[in-house]
Amino acid sequence: NLQNILLFVHIKMASSNELYEQIEECFEDFQANHKIFTEKGNKAAGGRARKYIGEIKKLVTAYRQASVSESKS
């Protein structure tokens, strides 16, 4: 999917600060959807929460790479 490819390229080129901001945004979205899922039993919110956790995983991996790269330069 072209959107996933563009996101992947953007993540790989982002600085650790940019990735940190993206992680924060995804985590806020995860928290909101997790709360809706656990408190109201909304299954769609549970799916969105899992989606955001997956995105966070990708961003954390990219953050680690960017952080190591920036510390070496």
Side-chain angles (χ1 to χ4, degrees):
N1 169 331
L2 182 59
Q3 184 179 11
N4 287 341
I5 293 170
L6 293 175
L7 176 64
F8 179 76
V9 169
H10 175 71
I11 288 173
K12 289 294 183 186
M13 297 172 55
S15 72
S16 62
N17 285 334
E18 292 170 328
L19 290 164
Y20 176 81
E21 291 173 9
Q22 291 176 11
I23 291 167
E24 275 189 320
E25 290 174 16
C26 278
F27 191 72
E28 289 170 5
D29 291 336
F30 163 75
Q31 285 181 310
N33 282 287
H34 174 73
K35 185 175 181 177
I36 292 168
F37 174 65
T38 56
E39 291 178 358
K40 298 181 180 177
N42 184 316
K43 291 182 182 180
R48 289 189 298 272
R50 290 187 298 275
K51 175 186 149 196
Y52 287 118
I53 282 295
E55 291 301 316
I56 291 169
K57 181 180 176 182
K58 293 175 194 174
L59 290 167
V60 167
T61 300
Y63 175 87
R64 290 183 68 208
Q65 291 172 348
S67 177
V68 168
S69 176
E70 290 170 8
S71 69
K72 288 182 179 180
S73 41

